[in-house]
Amino acid sequence: MTGPRTKSTAGELRDAGLRVTAVRVALLETVRAGDHLDVEAIASGTRERVGHVSLQAVYEALRALTAAGLVRRIEPAGSPARFEGRVGDNHHHVVCRSCGVVADVDCAVGDAPCLAASEDHGFSIHEAEVNYWGLCPACSTSGST
């Protein structure tokens, strides 16, 4: 285990009320080792760890892990859903309009949810999601638009 985590992946699954399976453990480890991965990349990484796993099983595990708050699903406009292991801190993202690469951006200013809505319409707001759009350094220097 790397970083400050002291609990095993299996222990985290149990604490979240999820059944521990080899696929769920491998999938969670794949997401955490990756960088805003799409479902195909997660499936590939999971297969490298445990062998054959169906795409349907990957979708089901991602749905369970997302609902349990162990992974976060983001959907930049015009891009397939992506998943990340950084959860609970209400961070934002910067997305390249040319190649689609995504990077984390810490909370803009202040306490979560970082941004105050000009009108809450009676909602109790818990989170703000912001995507900044532009060109990554590689696309900026290559002349992509």
Side-chain angles (χ1 to χ4, degrees), residues 1-144:
M1 184 87 4
T2 61
R5 275 193 190 86
T6 57
K7 186 171 291 231
S8 71
T9 303
E12 290 181 80
L13 291 167
R14 276 189 214 92
D15 287 352
L18 297 174
R19 190 168 52 97
V20 177
T21 67
V23 169
R24 284 182 177 168
V25 169
L27 192 143
L28 185 53
E29 290 173 350
T30 297
V31 169
R32 288 179 172 166
D35 189 19
H36 305 99
L37 301 174
D38 64 19
V39 174
E40 291 293 333
I42 294 168
S44 177
T46 302
R47 288 178 186 124
E48 288 175 9
R49 296 171 192 266
V50 296
H52 178 73
V53 61
S54 71
L55 201 53
Q56 182 62 34
V58 170
Y59 276 108
E60 289 172 6
L62 284 169
R63 190 171 14 261
L65 294 172
T66 301
L70 295 175
V71 300
R72 181 177 177 194
R73 176 187 173 122
I74 62 169
E75 294 183 65
S79 180
R82 299 187 185 206
F83 296 84
E84 64 180 338
R86 185 175 170 186
V87 297
D89 67 351
N90 199 83
H91 68 279
H92 309 301
H93 298 96
V94 60
V95 183
C96 181
R97 287 190 185 277
S98 181
C99 70
V101 71
V102 178
D104 291 335
V105 176
D106 288 328
C107 194
V109 181
D111 297 325
C114 302
L115 304 171
S118 60
E119 173 59 53
D120 65 17
H121 299 279
F123 283 69
S124 174
I125 298 173
H126 302 132
E127 182 178 358
E129 186 172 311
V130 175
N131 288 323
Y132 299 96
W133 294 88
L135 293 177
C136 70
C139 291
S140 291
T141 59
S142 72
S144 297

